[in-house]
Amino acid sequence: MKAAILLTGDEITRGVVKDSNGGYLAESLTALGFEVQSIVVVPDSREYISHEIRTALSRADLLLITGGLGTTFDDITLQTVADYLGRELSFDSEYYSALEESFLKRFSREAPAGLKRQALVMQDSVQLPNISGSARGSFVRTENKEIVILPGPPMEMEAVFMEALKHITLPPKMFSRTIGFLDLTEPEVEDFTEEMLSRFSGVKFVTRVRYFSGPTVILSASDESVLEEVCHLFSERWKRYIYTTSGEELVEVVVKGLREKNLTISVAESCSGGRLSALLTSVPGVSDVFSGGIVSYSNESKMSLLKVSENSLSQHGAVSEEVAFEMAAGTSRLFGTDVGLSVTGIAGPSGGSDLKPVGLVCSAVRIVDSIETYTDRFKGARETIQLRAASTVLKRLWRLFWNEYYIE
């Protein structure tokens, strides 16, 4: 079965908002066994939306549309789809009363008139609840086609998409596996992937790069045992470089490893500004292993909180392996954890020198009584350097687990 994705919004076509919905929906649909034919972005225009609906339905069984379900003048998606299908819109007074009551509780004032847009219902459609917001989605069948209309904000879109899955006609069951690699580049994996592609004609292969971790190979097939065989062959070939064959993010694997080894962790950050802590705390249940973190930008905070010595700071500078060493030891001591991670560097765009340029990052990983230190030179904008610094120290922790603690 074929699917198409239509993303609406002037904020996307003008570059004000970076789309993430298209990738999420495409990945989700592919995992369900759909062949995604297109991902198209259009502005908030009845003409463009109608044209793309017609085009998408000419080649796909399922069309997912996101955006344009809000309360402002440019939220025209529901009306445009209704006009295209020749269906009426009616007003759901009961739902509007709930919206009014919710607005009054939140803001202690009367609801604006625009809120009425979110109480409109298309004829012969199924309303999809939104547990993350007020804009409901809609599911519509027309002849042998299905249309799902979803809100634009990613959290709301994902919540409503889960509701839509209760109504969407799904393809025959497909199985999917995702193999994630560290310390390898995509070209290095390509030859072996092509060999597997020619050997297993019933398996669909998709390659992509997770920007801050490494290449992935996404497999899908109707026979789960075949996927197991392919994963086994990849693992035999690239054993020390594969951190998952079931699609987890690296940080999820790291947290799982900490939990299995009964180890606790804490972090000390400077240039990454809390991004390392944010990565760790993105994993549900991380409180089992994560005790806390310190963002210590100033030398004073490094000395007072982490007990970094003044001599190390004056002799080697804040961006040095010596200071990273003491930061990792300091956070472990402060929080009483088995593992301590530290990051210190120059994220830019200013603050660098010939000796210590922008992008220079020093880090350390402490596991029990052993501390390893590292120096990296990253390129990119400030945010990119911060994310690379945080992600790299997690890679190092995983690698040390593999080398030192991995059990065959």
Side-chain angles (χ1 to χ4, degrees):
M1 296 177 68
K2 296 177 173 58
I5 299 167
L6 175 58
L7 314 171
T8 71
D10 292 338
E11 67 276 17
I12 305 176
T13 58
R14 294 177 182 178
V16 177
V17 171
K18 294 180 181 179
D19 168 65
S20 61
N21 291 346
Y24 171 86
L25 290 173
E27 186 173 3
S28 299
L29 291 171
T30 299
L32 291 167
F34 284 97
E35 294 181 29
V36 178
Q37 301 294 297
S38 61
I39 303 177
V40 178
V41 182
V42 297
D44 294 307
S45 158
R46 287 179 172 82
E47 177 186 356
Y48 285 117
I49 295 173
S50 297
H51 174 77
E52 291 303 331
I53 292 173
R54 183 178 302 107
T55 301
L57 292 179
S58 71
R59 62 182 174 226
D61 308 291
L62 170 68
L63 170 61
L64 271 62
I65 307 174
T66 73
L69 298 182
T71 62
T72 58
F73 69 92
D74 55 354
D75 290 311
I76 59 172
T77 299
L78 188 65
Q79 182 70 65
T80 303
V81 176
D83 291 344
Y84 177 84
L85 297 176
R87 301 190 182 188
E88 298 293 326
L89 292 181
S90 60
F91 184 72
D92 185 343
S93 57
E94 185 177 344
Y95 186 65
Y96 181 65
S97 295
L99 291 178
E100 279 189 306
E101 183 180 351
S102 175
F103 191 92
L104 182 62
K105 285 182 178 179
R106 289 182 64 194
F107 302 107
S108 300
R109 55 181 183 269
E110 291 186 4
L115 204 61
K116 291 182 178 179
R117 294 174 185 268
Q118 294 185 325
L120 294 175
V121 178
M122 189 191 309
Q123 176 188 354
D124 297 326
S125 67
V126 177
Q127 298 307 288
L128 305 174
N130 182 350
I131 62 171
S132 297
S134 58
R136 294 183 296 184
S138 298
F139 173 80
V140 186
R141 281 198 178 91
T142 171
E143 298 178 354
N144 59 341
K145 308 287 185 177
E146 296 178 351
I147 301 175
V148 176
I149 307 172
L150 304 168
M155 287 180 61
E156 297 186 36
M157 181 277 299
E158 293 179 22
V160 179
F161 177 66
M162 289 297 106
E163 293 293 329
L165 290 177
K166 299 174 183 177
H167 305 279
I168 293 171
T169 301
L170 299 178
K173 185 172 178 61
M174 294 288 287
F175 298 94
S176 179
R177 298 287 293 271
T178 299
I179 305 171
F181 301 86
L182 285 187
D183 302 328
L184 282 179
T185 61
E186 199 171 19
E188 290 176 291
V189 180
E190 181 64 19
D191 288 345
F192 190 76
T193 302
E194 289 188 4
E195 180 185 330
M196 294 296 99
L197 182 61
S198 62
R199 181 171 168 183
F200 295 91
S201 58
V203 178
K204 184 174 182 179
F205 291 74
V206 177
T207 60
R208 63 179 283 251
V209 174
R210 286 175 173 166
Y211 191 65
F212 294 106
S213 53
T216 62
V217 177
I218 304 167
L219 315 170
S220 57
S222 58
D223 187 341
E224 189 173 21
S225 64
V226 174
L227 294 185
E228 293 291 342
E229 182 179 357
V230 176
C231 287
H232 176 72
L233 292 170
F234 267 97
S235 296
E236 279 193 331
R237 174 64 181 84
W238 299 110
K239 190 174 192 178
R240 295 174 63 85
Y241 299 92
I242 292 176
Y243 65 89
T244 182
T245 58
S246 51
E248 301 102 327
E249 295 288 344
L250 174 62
V251 66
E252 295 176 297
V253 175
V254 167
V255 170
K256 181 181 178 182
L258 289 165
R259 189 177 288 118
E260 289 175 347
K261 301 174 198 323
N262 198 29
L263 298 174
T264 55
I265 187 171
S266 59
V267 302
E269 306 180 64
S270 184
C271 69
S272 53
R275 293 185 184 273
L276 181 53
S277 295
L279 276 173
L280 286 166
T281 56
S282 69
V283 181
V286 73
S287 57
D288 293 343
V289 297
F290 181 61
S291 296
I294 294 290
V295 179
S296 54
Y297 252 61
S298 68
N299 286 351
E300 289 74 16
S301 64
K302 289 181 177 67
M303 290 187 290
S304 63
L305 296 173
L306 300 171
K307 308 307 178 187
V308 174
S309 71
E310 185 176 2
N311 181 62
S312 295
L313 289 164
S314 60
Q315 185 174 347
H316 304 287
V319 183
S320 62
E321 290 190 23
E322 288 80 5
V323 168
F325 182 103
E326 293 185 33
M327 289 173 66
T331 189
S332 293
R333 182 171 52 249
L334 177 65
F335 290 102
T337 57
D338 307 295
V339 178
L341 307 180
S342 68
V343 181
T344 178
I346 305 168
S350 60
S353 65
D354 290 340
L355 185 62
K356 295 187 177 183
V358 169
L360 179 70
V361 174
C362 296
S363 59
V365 178
R366 177 185 186 271
I367 303 178
V368 191
D369 296 323
S370 172
I371 301 182
E372 300 289 338
T373 60
Y374 310 89
T375 297
D376 294 285
R377 288 172 174 80
F378 299 122
K379 294 181 179 180
R382 180 179 180 84
E383 182 180 14
T384 300
I385 291 170
Q386 290 178 320
L387 287 169
R388 282 181 169 171
S391 300
T392 298
V393 77
L394 284 179
K395 291 182 187 180
R396 298 263 166 70
L397 176 57
W398 178 84
R399 176 58 65 195
L400 287 171
F401 274 174
W402 212 106
N403 289 339
E404 312 263 345
Y405 295 93
Y406 185 84
I407 300 173
E408 292 284 351

